[in-house]
Amino acid sequence: MTTNAELLKRYRAVLPSFVSPLHVEPISIDRGEGSSVWDVEGNRYLDWFGGVLTTMIGHSIPEIVDAVQAQAAKVMHTSTLYLSEPMIGFAEDVAAVSGIPDARVFFTASGSEANDMAVMLATTYRGSNEILAMRNSYHGRSHTAQAITAQSSWSMAAMSGLNVNFIQGAYRLRSPFRDLDDDAFTAACVDDLVQMIDMGTAGRVAAMIAEPIQGVGGFATPPDGFFGAMSKELANREILFISDEVQTGWGRTGEHFWGYQAHGIVPDILTFAKGVGNGITLAGVVARAEIMDCIDVLSFSTFGGNPLSAAAGRATLKYVLDNDLQGNAKQMGERLTARLGPVIEATPWIAELRGRGLMQAIEIVHPGGIEPDSATTARLLDAAKDRGLLVGKGGLYGNVIRMAPMLAISEAELDDGIDALIAAIGVIDGEH
């Protein structure tokens, strides 16, 4: 039997140094069922991270497995050079749920590529290379996506053809406006937006891109209506709004199907990825026809919308809608908050619990302030694993535990995971 230790040795021998496992003692996930996974040594874990929110519903869901296997037995790839019923059908499905009028859908293979395309559309449509993005944001690995990412620990590329300005946004805990109430906080950030446009740009900005809840940024969550208030200022200047729904889409926040819906707006462009394929490579862009059709040269994405991915996407979206997984995300998210809330309040080295639905995070700090404590975060991550719970890590300083249970998680599975996390917090608490 192959062991985790043997695989780690091979991993380090052949993969680049900038790729690294999450845990001090990494595991190899061999198989999964529902909310559970097993490593190559037979150890079982509750999976509350889903390969970074990518296995969204649960592992080995029969309806999705059957759809993928049936398509794989027919044809797995054709490209947009040929008519593909799975791709066309899925584009119709996505357009229908997007909320964007007269929508057109362009499929890609990753969220980075989707955000790259969204920026290309906006800059072409507006005839400008100026982009506004949010502080603490993350939008991907491509050269363009790196330019609009405000995370020094993730930023590889310092140069870009874009002129990018970063504005105050969702990461309230470390904002200079953190002591303000919701309305005043929103107003202060809008004022910052206006000042940045007036002082830091040439006046013809192509778009502002934002995650409704910041993913890699540690699930930083702005007040409801925050982006609605910003959008009024954008609309006054004909600046497009791009909603990066790579992590917030498909009902994960519980209260809404898309993260943007918490803000009373409809974006000009929407990007999606990760969970919609429930583990299969799948991403894309939705925009109004007049914006999407501003590209007047030949273009396509080699793997975007391939029949295998489209079949997975159609089956996943159908399962989400048929089983009201958005409703389950809301209900289970409320239960998670209710049980964890008192523990967080009583723990001096945890600054806050934040997020929506089944997209929740806790930020870990040194007691008595908000100085980040990444070392304790790493210990808590491993303590949870030792108790059979896999969670993620994020945040600008690597001091945030990210929790993203499967959308189909049961109450019993949720409680088991909460019990494991509370026990892990108790162990770390004993060290302080």
Side-chain angles (χ1 to χ4, degrees):
M1 178 185 72
T2 300
T3 67
N4 291 316
E6 290 169 346
L7 285 173
L8 176 60
K9 185 176 181 180
R10 291 165 59 189
Y11 180 107
R12 287 179 170 158
V14 74
L15 294 176
S17 60
F18 58 78
V19 176
S20 61
L22 184 59
H23 296 280
V24 173
E25 295 182 355
I27 61 171
S28 173
I29 294 175
D30 182 57
R31 64 184 180 90
E33 182 178 338
S35 290
S36 297
V37 294
W38 287 261
D39 71 8
V40 292
E41 297 174 7
N43 301 304
R44 175 182 174 270
Y45 303 89
L46 276 172
D47 186 1
W48 278 24
F49 204 39
V52 195
L53 289 80
T54 301
T55 303
M56 178 175 70
I57 294 174
H59 296 275
S60 301
I61 301 298
E63 291 87 340
I64 300 171
V65 172
D66 290 347
V68 170
Q69 289 178 337
Q71 184 60 53
K74 295 171 65 178
V75 63
M76 290 192 286
H77 182 72
T78 60
S79 90
T80 52
L81 297 177
Y82 302 93
L83 301 178
S84 167
E85 196 283 330
M87 179 185 68
I88 295 167
F90 187 47
E92 292 168 339
D93 296 342
V94 173
V97 299
S98 71
I100 294 178
D102 194 23
R104 298 294 184 271
V105 182
F106 180 80
F107 292 115
T108 67
S110 71
S112 295
E113 189 184 352
N115 284 331
D116 195 298
M117 180 63 178
V119 171
M120 185 182 299
L121 285 170
T123 54
T124 302
Y125 182 78
R126 289 279 290 153
S128 167
N129 74 333
E130 294 195 280
I131 296 290
L132 298 171
M134 314 303 291
R135 297 183 186 183
N136 198 48
S137 61
Y138 179 84
H139 297 288
R141 290 186 57 259
S142 72
H143 205 65
T144 293
Q146 286 280 286
I148 53 178
T149 287
Q151 290 267 339
S152 58
S153 58
W154 288 90
S155 296
M156 297 175 284
M159 296 179 291
S160 168
L162 296 175
N163 182 351
V164 183
N165 284 289
F166 294 99
I167 59 176
Q168 292 287 344
Y171 191 22
R172 191 166 178 170
L173 182 67
R174 301 183 189 282
S175 168
F177 311 134
R178 62 177 171 270
D179 295 325
L180 302 176
D181 64 28
D182 285 356
D183 290 343
F185 175 81
T186 297
C189 290
V190 170
D191 287 344
D192 180 71
L193 166 69
V194 172
Q195 188 177 79
M196 183 59 73
I197 294 172
D198 290 344
M199 294 184 176
T201 78
R204 184 175 173 80
V205 178
M208 183 181 85
I209 185 168
E211 306 154 271
I213 296 177
Q214 293 181 327
V216 170
F219 294 175
T221 308
D224 284 355
F226 180 88
F227 290 112
M230 285 195 163
S231 288
K232 293 176 183 177
E233 296 297 334
L234 300 178
N236 289 339
R237 297 162 176 80
E238 299 183 341
I239 300 170
L240 302 179
F241 178 57
I242 303 169
S243 187
D244 178 345
E245 301 274 356
V246 167
Q247 297 194 28
T248 49
W250 318 106
R252 176 163 288 282
T253 67
E255 294 180 5
H256 303 95
F257 195 77
W258 301 104
Y260 78 74
Q261 292 170 321
H263 303 279
I265 56 170
V266 175
D268 299 288
I269 304 172
L270 175 156
T271 63
F272 62 87
K274 291 191 181 291
V276 67
N278 203 47
I280 294 287
T281 303
L282 181 58
V285 185
V286 189
R288 299 195 313 272
E290 64 175 306
I291 297 173
M292 189 70 80
D293 294 342
C294 74
I295 302 294
D296 59 3
V297 297
L298 292 174
S299 184
F300 78 115
S301 171
T302 298
F303 291 105
N306 71 82
L308 192 68
S309 294
R314 296 201 79 180
T316 301
L317 179 55
K318 185 177 188 302
Y319 195 95
V320 168
L321 297 174
D322 289 351
N323 294 278
D324 188 23
L325 295 194
Q326 178 185 331
N328 192 60
K330 184 177 187 298
Q331 182 181 352
M332 294 298 103
E334 290 170 350
R335 186 176 184 87
L336 179 65
T337 301
R339 286 205 57 199
L340 273 184
V343 177
I344 304 308
E345 287 290 328
T347 306
W349 47 273
I350 299 180
E352 65 179 4
L353 170 68
R354 59 179 180 246
R356 293 284 178 84
L358 291 178
M359 188 175 183
Q360 305 264 354
I362 54 177
E363 178 151 355
I364 297 168
V365 296
H366 291 281
I370 61 170
E371 182 185 353
D373 189 347
S374 59
T376 296
T377 307
R379 291 201 302 275
L380 180 57
L381 187 82
D382 286 327
K385 178 181 76 74
D386 292 343
R387 284 150 187 80
L389 177 66
L390 302 181
V391 291
K393 190 173 68 170
L396 177 62
Y397 304 102
N399 68 317
V400 178
I401 293 292
R402 295 198 280 167
M403 300 169 285
M406 302 297 162
L407 295 192
I409 193 169
S410 68
E411 190 174 287
E413 290 170 328
L414 187 82
D415 284 344
D416 286 346
I418 294 171
D419 290 342
L421 185 60
I422 291 174
I425 290 171
V427 169
I428 303 302
D429 208 31
E431 299 175 0
H432 277 71

